[in-house]
Amino acid sequence: MKTNVYTVDAVTKEYLCTEKLDLKFYGDDLPNKTTEPLPTLIKDTKLILINDKWKQIPLPKPRYLYDADTFEYLNKVDEFKLKANATFELPDNSTDIAIFNLLDDEVAIFDKNNNKWLAKKDYRNKTVYSTANKSISLVDYIGDIKDGFTLLAPKEFDKWDAQSNTWVEDKDLKEKMRVSAIKAKAMEVIESKYPIFWQLNNPRMDSAFANDYAWIDNIRDISNNAESKGTLLDDIDWGI
């Protein structure tokens, strides 16, 4: 006659399977097996054989892992190794407090002191700009953008306005650069035809060079006129 025999893990004593065996062929030599009838199985438990009696151990709640240094949420674990003493091996740096939904650019940080999750801004690897000099850097920390930096990209002639907390156009600088660029271009045009050494060796008072200097003066007039009228460099017709 065959009898139900229940096999358990050699270390953890967790129930593994059921077999029908004829015990007269085995005698008392049934390592890691028992004939103790199985109880009605309860959901979310592990069935363990302790002192030849079945015991149902509740499964742990899912664990939420966080980084050991930054405490930021890493991932969820819901499978655990059963140990020999009928307890479960829980991962370090974890909690059974469930994570919540996060907004864009947020990361969950576990507050060990208050045993709860906190939502923190996460701009890591995003480009920020110094509000002092427009220099560029990448964020390598969790939390709000540090003072003196912004995610807003500046334009060429922008300056930071602390009152409105944004970039505004520096009109004085823009005008200064416009005039400077026109003057530099006028000099380039003149020297492309009449280099400095030519001008030094051919004085203006010599009537033989009147037409040459008239051409030079015309370029300067074009430059002065463009500067005074607010003309952009690319819109100037130098007549060459």
Side-chain angles (χ1 to χ4, degrees):
M1 179 178 178
K2 292 186 177 181
T3 304
N4 286 338
V5 177
Y6 309 98
T7 303
V8 298
D9 183 88
V11 176
T12 64
K13 305 304 179 183
E14 176 186 359
Y15 166 72
L16 298 178
C17 63
T18 302
E19 303 172 271
K20 284 188 174 293
L21 301 176
D22 190 339
L23 297 181
K24 68 182 180 181
F25 294 110
Y26 293 91
D28 295 329
D29 187 20
L30 288 172
N32 304 314
K33 297 181 185 296
T34 182
T35 57
E36 176 71 16
L38 286 178
T40 301
L41 297 179
I42 301 175
K43 185 180 179 181
D44 296 329
T45 64
K46 287 280 190 182
L47 192 55
I48 311 296
L49 188 66
I50 301 177
N51 298 323
D52 209 32
K53 296 293 182 181
W54 292 111
K55 183 175 182 180
Q56 299 196 58
I57 308 296
L59 293 175
K61 294 180 180 179
R63 304 290 293 186
Y64 301 85
L65 276 62
Y66 52 83
D67 185 88
D69 298 317
T70 65
F71 302 102
E72 67 178 300
Y73 170 70
L74 297 177
N75 60 278
K76 176 183 175 182
V77 176
D78 52 17
E79 293 186 5
F80 307 95
K81 182 179 179 181
L82 186 64
K83 298 193 292 185
N85 61 356
T87 61
F88 292 91
E89 186 175 312
L90 301 180
D92 293 334
N93 304 312
S94 69
T95 177
D96 61 4
I97 299 174
I99 200 73
F100 46 78
N101 293 329
L102 296 167
L103 302 176
D104 292 340
D105 295 326
E106 282 188 342
V107 64
I109 303 296
F110 190 65
D111 181 352
K112 294 184 71 174
N113 293 329
N114 296 298
N115 204 37
K116 65 179 181 179
W117 291 102
L118 303 175
K120 295 282 187 179
K121 289 295 184 181
D122 185 13
Y123 298 112
R124 283 173 296 179
N125 296 316
K126 290 187 179 293
T127 300
V128 290
Y129 305 85
S130 167
T131 57
N133 56 26
K134 300 182 186 177
S135 61
I136 297 175
S137 57
L138 290 178
V139 177
D140 60 359
Y141 54 87
I142 295 172
D144 294 331
I145 299 300
K146 293 179 180 178
D147 290 343
F149 294 89
T150 179
L151 290 164
L152 301 175
K155 295 179 182 178
E156 181 180 3
F157 301 109
D158 281 354
K159 63 180 179 180
W160 185 253
D161 181 54
Q163 188 171 9
S164 61
N165 207 36
T166 190
W167 297 105
V168 295
E169 186 176 71
D170 187 336
K171 295 182 179 179
D172 291 339
L173 175 61
K174 185 177 182 180
E175 175 63 9
K176 180 180 178 181
M177 296 301 292
R178 184 190 71 84
V179 171
S180 177
I182 292 173
K183 290 183 181 294
K185 183 62 178 180
M187 186 65 69
E188 177 188 326
V189 171
I190 292 170
E191 292 186 2
S192 67
K193 188 172 183 178
Y194 299 104
I196 291 296
F197 69 84
W198 182 95
Q199 297 179 51
L200 293 174
N201 293 319
N202 300 282
R204 176 183 286 272
M205 66 279 299
D206 190 330
S207 59
F209 306 113
N211 289 336
D212 300 297
Y213 278 100
W215 185 90
I216 291 174
D217 290 342
N218 180 60
I219 295 298
R220 287 176 175 159
D221 287 343
I222 293 174
S223 174
N224 292 335
N225 185 56
E227 292 171 29
S228 64
K229 289 187 175 182
T231 306
L232 299 177
L233 177 61
D234 292 341
D235 295 334
I236 299 174
D237 181 6
W238 297 99
I240 55 174

